[in-house]
């Protein structure tokens, strides 16, 4: 009845919806027909039933890390929930093996949304506003308004970028965003991330030239770093922390579908080749051990040792990859979530199927 996430197996040796102010984080469009989905053995299938009537549509599921997740059933007979069919909220603390019901603070609303950044649980319920919980759903604070308050639906991580003055780097303290003592000194900051001992801010100018700055003291001071020119223009430059802590830069192309430019931090930014790569991608994520996982019309692949290789993983063109805070690789497709869990070099795929009981 109600399909949710799925995970299947192959070691990697190795649609989170974007919040309203993070449209650039949405899955890139794929411009050609998808390749056949790869077939791979599953390491584990978690098929779990919850107490939900048949008339509910499939849930939206948000994982915080490999163990913590939330599920929101927010459609009923193809329409927003009504009084006879209110929105239902569930939580898991064991990777989706079991789910417990949580009270929804506004179960009847025109448009229900679910986010879980930085350990928060955030629900949108139009036209009533936003409801945020810092205690895993035990209590909620109401935030009225159409736009979510800053920090509530932004990306994971203590540091974020606001729209002020070409992008200001701020720190999330668990309740509010606070400006840093010093700014990176870049003309435009597009994204920021912690990676290892560094805080990395990055961006690209209107001509597609990338630039970055690093801080070794949590943003009290910054050093401008040279980013070698890539082959072609960059639209958005994103710093990314790989699961092993290594800093990377991922340069998304202006059309958001071209194969990205890649750099690794080795005391300076070093370009990463990907000989034989496809022209188009849906997502590209550093996954540790010097590798980058890729999905696109060509299926799934990895960049390793300067070349691109296709891999037989249980994810394909329809999946968009994302790293969770604990290094778990999450692949979201329209009808499932696939998780790749465990330490770098010894990871497992898990398929979670959530259905009505």
């Amino acid at each position: 009845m109600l399909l949710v996430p799925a995970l299947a197996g192959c070691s990697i040796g190795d649609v989170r919806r974007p919040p309203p102010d993070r449209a650039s984080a949405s899955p890139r469009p794929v411009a050609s027909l998808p390749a056949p989905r790869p077939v791979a053995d599953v390491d584990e299938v978690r098929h779990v039933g919850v107490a939900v009537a048949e008339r509910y549509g499939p849930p939206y599921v948000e994982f915080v890390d490999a163990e913590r997740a939330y599920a929101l059933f927010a459609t009923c007979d193809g329409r927003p929930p009504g009084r006879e069919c209110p929105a239902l909220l569930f939580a898991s603390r064991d990777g989706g093996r079991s789910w417990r019901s949580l009270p929804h603070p506004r179960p009847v609303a025109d448009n229900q949304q679910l986010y879980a950044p930085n350990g928060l649980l955030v629900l949108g319920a139009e036209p009533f506003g936003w409801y945020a919980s810092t205690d895993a759903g035990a209590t909620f604070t109401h935030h009225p308004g159409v736009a979510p308050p800053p920090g509530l639906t932004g990306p994971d991580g203590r540091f974020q970028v606001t729209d002020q003055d070409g992008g200001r780097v701020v720190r999330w303290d668990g309740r509010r965003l606070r400006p840093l003592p010093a700014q990176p000194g870049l003309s435009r900051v597009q994204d920021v991330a912690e990676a290892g001992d560094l805080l990395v801010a990055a961006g690209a100018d209107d001509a597609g030239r990338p630039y970055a700055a690093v801080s070794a003291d949590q943003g009290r001071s910054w050093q401008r770093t040279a980013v070698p020119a890539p082959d072609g223009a960059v639209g958005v430059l994103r710093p990314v922390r790989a699961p092993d802590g290594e800093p990377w830069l991922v340069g998304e192309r202006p059309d958001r579908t071209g194969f990205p430019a890649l750099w690794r931090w080795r005391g300076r930014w070093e370009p990463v080749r990907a000989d034989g790569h496809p022209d188009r991608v849906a997502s590209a994520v550093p996954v540790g051990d010097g590798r980058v996982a890729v999905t696109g019309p060509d299926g799934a692949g990895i960049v390793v040792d300067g070349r691109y290789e296709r891999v037989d993983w249980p994810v394909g063109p329809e999946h968009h990859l994302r790293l969770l805070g604990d290094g778990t690789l999450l692949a979201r497709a329209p009808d499932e979530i696939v998780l790749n869990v465990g330490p770098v070099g010894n990871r497992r795929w898990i398929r979670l199927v959530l259905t009505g009981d």
Side-chain angles (χ1 to χ4, degrees):
M1 178 179 83
L2 302 170
L3 295 179
V4 168
L7 301 165
C10 235
S11 237
I12 107 179
D14 251 43
V15 146
R16 169 191 186 108
R17 295 158 301 159
D21 59 345
R22 292 283 293 176
S24 65
S26 62
R28 303 180 185 86
V30 175
S32 59
L33 293 175
R37 180 175 174 178
V39 177
D41 294 335
V42 292
D43 292 310
E44 182 182 356
V45 176
R46 297 172 185 170
H47 195 149
V48 183
V50 295
V52 172
E54 185 176 357
R55 62 190 301 195
Y56 281 92
Y60 182 80
V61 177
E62 187 73 272
F63 272 82
V64 178
D65 52 35
E67 298 298 321
R68 295 180 294 161
Y70 298 99
L72 175 67
F73 289 83
T75 60
C76 215
D77 296 327
R79 299 187 300 274
R83 295 193 178 280
E84 290 96 30
C85 192
L88 300 176
L89 181 64
F90 294 86
S92 175
R93 291 294 177 268
D94 56 10
R97 296 178 182 88
S98 64
W99 296 82
R100 62 185 178 87
S101 177
L102 293 177
H104 193 299
R106 183 66 70 167
V108 179
D110 293 336
N111 180 27
Q112 300 276 357
Q113 299 182 53
L114 166 67
Y115 301 97
N118 299 314
L120 299 174
L121 169 59
V122 180
L123 303 173
E126 294 181 3
F128 304 104
W130 301 83
Y131 298 83
S133 175
T134 59
D135 53 16
T139 61
F140 285 88
T141 300
H142 182 213
H143 301 267
V146 176
L152 287 189
T153 60
D156 287 332
R158 293 185 298 164
F159 298 92
Q160 299 183 26
V161 178
T162 70
D163 293 332
Q164 295 178 331
D165 302 325
R168 289 182 61 82
V169 180
V170 295
R171 183 199 297 266
W172 173 252
D173 68 2
R175 294 187 178 275
R176 61 184 60 86
L177 296 173
R178 297 185 180 276
L180 293 186
Q183 291 297 310
L186 306 176
S187 58
R188 178 174 57 175
V189 179
Q190 295 174 321
D191 208 349
V192 63
E194 285 185 280
D197 296 328
L198 293 180
L199 179 61
V200 183
D205 63 21
D206 292 337
R209 294 184 292 259
Y211 46 74
V214 299
S215 172
D217 54 14
Q218 301 293 292
R220 289 185 290 275
S221 64
W222 293 85
Q223 177 183 355
R224 183 77 178 254
T225 55
V227 180
D231 181 13
V234 168
V236 176
L237 188 63
R238 296 186 296 110
V240 180
R241 176 189 182 276
D244 56 7
E246 185 176 33
W248 285 71
L249 294 175
V250 178
E252 298 178 359
R253 301 302 183 177
D255 66 358
R256 300 179 62 224
T257 67
F259 198 89
L262 302 168
W263 297 263
R264 294 173 72 179
W265 178 257
R266 300 294 188 84
R268 63 182 186 275
W269 296 112
E270 296 184 355
V272 174
R273 291 174 29 229
D275 296 345
H277 68 73
D279 292 333
R280 302 294 177 185
V281 300
S283 57
V285 177
V287 291
D289 198 24
R291 302 182 178 198
V292 177
V294 177
T295 59
D298 192 47
I302 59 170
V303 176
V304 58
D305 296 331
R307 65 186 185 278
Y308 172 85
E309 299 177 354
R310 289 199 65 177
V311 290
D312 183 23
W313 290 350
V315 297
E318 69 276 20
H319 289 90
H320 186 268
L321 302 176
R322 173 178 158 239
L323 278 177
L324 302 182
D326 65 345
T328 296
L329 181 66
L330 181 147
R332 186 182 298 278
D335 62 347
E336 69 175 14
I337 290 175
V338 177
L339 299 176
N340 188 243
V341 302
V344 175
N346 185 28
R347 297 173 73 95
R348 303 170 62 249
W349 295 98
I350 303 166
R351 174 168 284 116
L352 170 64
V353 181
L354 187 62
T355 63
D357 206 359

